[in-house]
Amino acid sequence: MSKNRLAWLAFVPVFSSSSLVFALTSIEAGETLSIDQTTAQDNYRARDGGVLNANDANTYEVLITTGSQLNAVGGTYAGRSGNAGISLINASANVSDAIVTGTRMGMSIARATGTTTGSTAVITGSRITGQTAGIETGGGTDIQLTDTHLTGTGANSFGLNSFGAEVRAKGGSITGGMSGIRLRPDGEGIGSGANVTLDNVEVRGVAGAAILATGGVTAQINVLNFTRLLAGNGVLLDVQGASTATMTVADSMLEGNINVTDNSLANLSFNHGHMVGDVIVDGSSTAGVTLENHSQLTGRLDQVDSVNVNSNSNWTLTGNDSIGALGMNGGTVTFGAQDAPGTYYTLNVGSLSGNGTFAMKGDFASGEHDFLNVIGASAGDFALAVAASGLDAASPQALTLVRTGTLDGANFALAGDQRVDVGTWSYSLASREIEGGAKEWFLDPTTEVISPGARSVLALFNTAPTVWYGELSSLRSRMGELRFNGGQAGGWIRTYGNKYNVADGSGVGYQQTQQGLSLGADARLGESQVLVGVLAGTSESDLDLNRGTSGTVKSYYVGPYLTWLDSDTGYYFDGVLKFNRFRNESKVNLSDGSRTKGDYDNWGVGGSAEFGRHIKLANDYFVEPFAQLSAVQIQGKHYTLDNDMDADGDRMRSLLGKAGATVGRNFGFGNGAVAQPYVRAAIAHEFASNNEVKVNNNVFNNDLSGSRAEFGAGVAVALSEKWQVHVDLDYAKGEHIEQPYGVNLGWRYSF
């Protein structure tokens, strides 16, 4: 091995040169030189297959040429007077954990003029800094960066200045005083273009774009796995100078714009990628944007030639746009933020094809609305997801949402259940032919039906009476038990469940399922046959109004009761006064898939009086005719849902009369045990018919008036002198209300 002191003219072939001369140590063909931290600082050159091994060495410039190899672990490499710290010319390098600096670029990885292959470099965990660039490359060069930081420190510098190289970076950062990365073609056209793959890398242009593609370059840019592009001028990718750039964004979130100018072409593809910013295309350039696999783009695409929104991806407009071809395959185009009422956009499309959803808004009162205008051909099936509102329109008018240039083309329908909820009402979509052979789709105010929000309001105000009567049934069922013990004092507990189907004719239809628990205690007044007691309990009722709209009523109640039993004649009287506190809540699924809710508390008070006679027949049979009158009044209430729907319920009243009979028989089992099976039938009539409810000042009448037939069966069992149990089953059917079932289970202990 020779260590001759030679003159070295440091240069970077193809695109830069220097006239400064330094002494150096040369490694020739077949030679290997190893240096470390004990080696004095020097300049090194390896050529014609020479190998330089550096381990924590501190050196000046290193030049590796013509098939030679650099293996550097740790250490510092400091270029002076216009030279790079490390220069590769048609050579290879493995560099790890090194600090490389240069007064121009930190590292030059290039090829010699007239050659067709460049250099290769694998760089890990290093910091590379230069005045004009961190790394500058030539065509045909292949670079792999891992957890490495490139920095250009000058005002007009680049972290990576690539002339036709293939660069792959994982981790680390690339920062330039102007742009983070500049991509240009090789001066002699060597290589397939300037390509860069960024995997979890931060790229920053301090004053300019994050990535600049210029000089007629053809560039493939891959932005992967949480890569960040940061730009001092807000431009993430600047494509200029008749360049072509294809950028793929996957699993990364970007914020900033993309510029395509000066006869350039950009094709942008997002695969589970996110971007907030505009794609700006001048009149001389073209661009295409494709969103795949749940990608999100929020910004303007004005003058973009083709846009594809596929596979659950979303493009959100931030202004009026005009684009060329729009293709969709399971994606969504959203006309501005859906929670920003009063902002409406128009999207002009040259042609439309595929299938997808357009999320839009409209104001029935003002007539303002989002608008899709398809100028040319259209084909496919599309849904219109129109934002719902809790406010009514003062003067509803048709809102035109879509216009197509031909009659035979794409089909449009409202998303979900084919209606749009606007305050109290829901509307359907209609279409019509217009002048010039075009077609438009509009929301038709003549198709109004009651909206789910209004239905929930009406149902909640309508539910309190059935809640109140369902709770009262637990008290009514104890009469058989009292006869077993002659009306002795005692305590009792009941659990019960009821279901009601309320028809639309009552104001609004719904299903109500109730379950609850009651308990009480009573005592005889002196030697009389009168029992006085007090009851308390709670119940919860769930309302199902279809289409995901529901309500809940939680009730808490307490009250006194009085029962008189004449053991000689069989006559009896049963009276109760019950006070309730109701906790009401509604949850509404709106037509646009959003939810709204509202809640309120109110009070109720009511009473019931029943008179009948227990008539004993032969063979332990009995018949018990009875009549009952019940009345309840529920406090009115004013409240709003959180979508601003206004609800105002008047006092709810019920006056229910009932007449019927119970028939049964007593069976003795010895030791004081008695079973009393029975059946019951009655006719009930609701007299109250005018319970007014206002929704956004629209007046409705909750009407449960009318007659219904009631049937029941059960058994009361005296297990001993002290313990009695019962089970009771009920069914009722009327014009407005049906009770498919009522179940009541109870226990009583006599003192």
Side-chain angles (χ1 to χ4, degrees):
M1 178 186 304
S2 64
K3 295 186 177 179
N4 299 320
R5 292 291 182 179
L6 303 174
W8 174 27
L9 177 63
F11 69 100
V12 180
V14 178
F15 48 81
S16 66
S17 64
S18 172
S19 61
L20 296 177
V21 176
F22 297 103
L24 60 81
T25 298
S26 180
I27 305 103
E28 304 297 334
E31 296 180 341
T32 298
L33 175 63
S34 296
I35 60 176
D36 59 24
Q37 67 270 26
T38 65
T39 305
Q41 284 186 299
D42 202 351
N43 302 305
Y44 294 90
R45 179 183 68 188
R47 62 183 179 182
D48 299 326
V51 177
L52 175 62
N53 296 321
N55 186 7
D56 282 332
N58 296 312
T59 76
Y60 297 126
E61 296 91 352
V62 172
L63 174 64
I64 311 296
T65 68
T66 56
S68 296
Q69 175 75 35
L70 169 66
N71 299 307
V73 178
T76 62
Y77 304 83
R80 298 171 295 167
S81 301
N83 293 303
I86 296 175
S87 298
L88 304 179
I89 303 172
N90 298 91
S92 301
N94 285 299
V95 179
S96 63
D97 303 314
I99 297 175
V100 184
T101 60
T103 52
R104 289 188 61 199
M105 70 286 294
M107 191 168 180
S108 171
I109 307 175
R111 65 176 182 84
T113 303
T115 61
T116 59
T117 59
S119 300
T120 62
V122 177
I123 305 171
T124 304
S126 298
R127 292 185 175 274
I128 303 173
T129 304
Q131 178 69 24
T132 60
I135 289 180
E136 199 165 274
T137 76
T141 290
D142 186 279
I143 303 172
Q144 175 69 56
L145 303 171
T146 303
D147 296 329
T148 292
H149 302 275
L150 309 183
T151 304
T153 59
N156 296 311
S157 64
F158 311 101
L160 171 65
N161 192 16
S162 175
F163 288 77
E166 185 80 34
V167 180
R168 297 175 302 282
K170 184 172 184 178
S173 64
I174 303 174
T175 302
M178 181 56 67
S179 293
I181 297 174
R182 181 171 73 167
L183 304 175
R184 297 195 65 179
D186 178 82
E188 295 179 347
I190 303 302
S192 60
N195 302 324
V196 60
T197 296
L198 306 167
D199 186 339
N200 191 24
V201 179
E202 180 179 289
V203 178
R204 181 186 297 270
V206 174
I211 302 175
L212 171 63
T214 186
V217 71
T218 298
Q220 172 69 53
I221 304 162
N222 299 313
V223 179
L224 313 177
N225 299 325
F226 309 105
T227 287
R228 288 84 61 205
L229 301 183
L230 307 173
N233 64 357
V235 179
L236 305 180
L237 172 63
D238 194 350
V239 186
Q240 57 180 245
S243 297
T244 298
T246 300
M247 185 167 80
T248 299
V249 179
D251 296 304
S252 296
M253 301 183 67
L254 308 180
E255 186 169 352
N257 299 330
I258 294 175
N259 284 356
V260 188
T261 61
D262 192 20
N263 292 298
S264 296
L265 168 64
N267 289 307
L268 311 173
S269 178
F270 293 79
N271 184 358
H272 200 252
H274 293 228
M275 174 175 156
V276 177
D278 303 332
V279 178
I280 302 169
V281 185
D282 73 4
S284 67
S285 302
T286 58
V289 176
T290 298
L291 306 179
E292 301 277 2
N293 188 23
H294 299 270
S295 292
Q296 304 283 329
L297 191 152
T298 300
R300 297 195 61 194
L301 300 181
D302 200 37
Q303 305 306 316
V304 171
D305 294 84
S306 66
V307 178
N308 294 284
V309 186
N310 306 326
S311 53
N312 297 300
S313 297
N314 181 83
W315 168 31
T316 299
L317 281 71
T318 57
N320 298 325
D321 273 324
S322 294
I323 63 174
L326 175 60
M328 302 179 70
N329 184 10
T332 300
V333 175
T334 301
F335 285 69
Q338 295 300 285
D339 59 355
T343 303
Y344 305 100
Y345 298 126
T346 295
L347 175 60
N348 295 302
V349 176
S351 64
L352 174 66
S353 62
N355 64 87
T357 301
F358 294 93
M360 313 178 82
K361 307 179 298 299
D363 187 331
F364 270 68
S366 68
E368 294 180 289
H369 55 90
D370 294 322
F371 183 55
L372 171 64
N373 181 32
V374 184
I375 299 169
S378 63
D381 296 302
F382 300 91
L384 304 181
V386 182
S389 169
L391 302 175
D392 283 15
S395 301
Q397 53 187 284
L399 292 188
T400 301
L401 301 176
V402 179
R403 178 179 295 130
T404 57
T406 60
L407 291 176
D408 297 325
N411 295 312
F412 296 88
L414 291 175
D417 66 352
Q418 305 297 304
R419 290 191 173 274
V420 176
D421 301 332
V422 183
T424 310
W425 311 104
S426 297
Y427 302 96
S428 297
L429 189 71
S431 63
R432 60 194 171 199
E433 180 180 356
I434 60 176
E435 185 178 356
K439 189 175 184 179
E440 63 183 19
W441 281 260
F442 61 96
L443 293 178
D444 187 353
T446 66
T447 62
E448 67 180 29
V449 297
I450 299 176
S451 69
R455 291 170 63 87
S456 74
V457 169
L458 296 174
L460 280 183
F461 282 126
N462 210 25
T463 301
T466 51
V467 170
W468 196 88
Y469 287 122
E471 296 164 347
L472 192 65
S473 67
S474 65
L475 188 65
R476 168 69 180 82
S477 301
R478 80 194 190 289
M479 297 303 296
E481 300 172 359
L482 294 178
R483 295 189 188 92
F484 286 144
N485 58 27
Q488 296 180 24
W492 54 269
I493 186 170
R494 306 282 185 266
T495 181
Y496 55 92
N498 301 291
K499 183 172 183 178
Y500 302 97
N501 296 326
V502 179
D504 283 333
S506 67
V508 62
Y510 59 91
Q511 292 78 46
Q512 174 187 345
T513 303
Q514 180 187 35
Q515 53 187 340
L517 179 72
S518 295
L519 51 86
D522 44 50
R524 185 190 296 271
L525 286 180
E527 299 299 321
S528 70
Q529 299 185 75
V530 177
L531 287 174
V532 176
V534 63
L535 67 92
T538 181
S539 74
E540 181 170 329
S541 295
D542 295 319
L543 308 183
D544 181 3
L545 291 96
N546 300 321
R547 214 181 84 174
T549 295
S550 61
T552 302
V553 180
K554 295 181 180 180
S555 172
Y556 308 91
Y557 53 91
V558 65
Y561 63 88
L562 180 148
T563 301
W564 168 67
L565 292 170
D566 190 315
S567 57
D568 295 329
T569 63
Y571 286 106
Y572 73 89
F573 172 82
D574 189 45
V576 61
L577 183 65
K578 188 158 68 76
F579 301 91
N580 283 66
R581 178 182 181 271
F582 301 102
R583 175 66 177 170
N584 308 271
E585 182 178 4
S586 62
K587 297 179 180 179
V588 184
N589 269 4
L590 300 175
S591 57
D592 60 359
S594 64
R595 289 180 65 85
T596 186
K597 61 183 180 179
D599 59 77
Y600 64 95
D601 296 338
N602 60 345
W603 298 85
V605 60
S608 174
E610 180 180 327
F611 182 77
R613 185 182 182 188
H614 183 79
I615 302 173
K616 296 180 179 180
L617 305 175
N619 299 320
D620 291 327
Y621 283 96
F622 69 88
V623 62
E624 188 176 275
F626 68 90
Q628 182 184 24
L629 185 65
S630 303
V632 61
Q633 178 170 287
I634 312 298
Q635 177 190 16
K637 200 72 174 183
H638 177 267
Y639 76 104
T640 58
L641 276 67
D642 57 12
N643 68 342
D644 297 324
M645 177 175 283
D646 185 80
D648 189 5
D650 200 358
R651 288 187 297 270
M652 184 77 181
R653 302 176 182 87
S654 173
L655 180 61
L656 184 70
K658 187 184 300 185
T662 301
V663 177
R665 185 183 180 187
N666 293 330
F667 293 90
F669 296 100
N671 297 322
V674 179
Q676 185 187 87
Y678 57 86
V679 295
R680 182 173 59 252
I683 294 294
H685 186 82
E686 175 61 69
F687 294 94
S689 61
N690 186 21
N691 291 301
E692 186 177 284
V693 178
K694 293 181 181 179
V695 182
N696 291 348
N697 290 320
N698 296 287
V699 179
F700 298 89
N701 181 31
N702 274 343
D703 185 5
L704 291 176
S705 64
S707 299
R708 60 178 180 262
E710 297 184 351
F711 304 94
V715 60
V717 180
L719 301 175
S720 66
E721 183 180 351
K722 297 291 187 180
W723 286 98
Q724 298 91 37
V725 298
H726 85 271
V727 59
D728 192 67
L729 304 174
D730 294 297
Y731 171 81
K733 176 68 174 177
E735 177 183 359
H736 294 311
I737 188 168
E738 176 190 19
Q739 183 183 14
Y741 67 82
V743 180
N744 191 315
L745 302 173
W747 300 263
R748 180 181 176 86
Y749 179 76
S750 299
F751 303 138

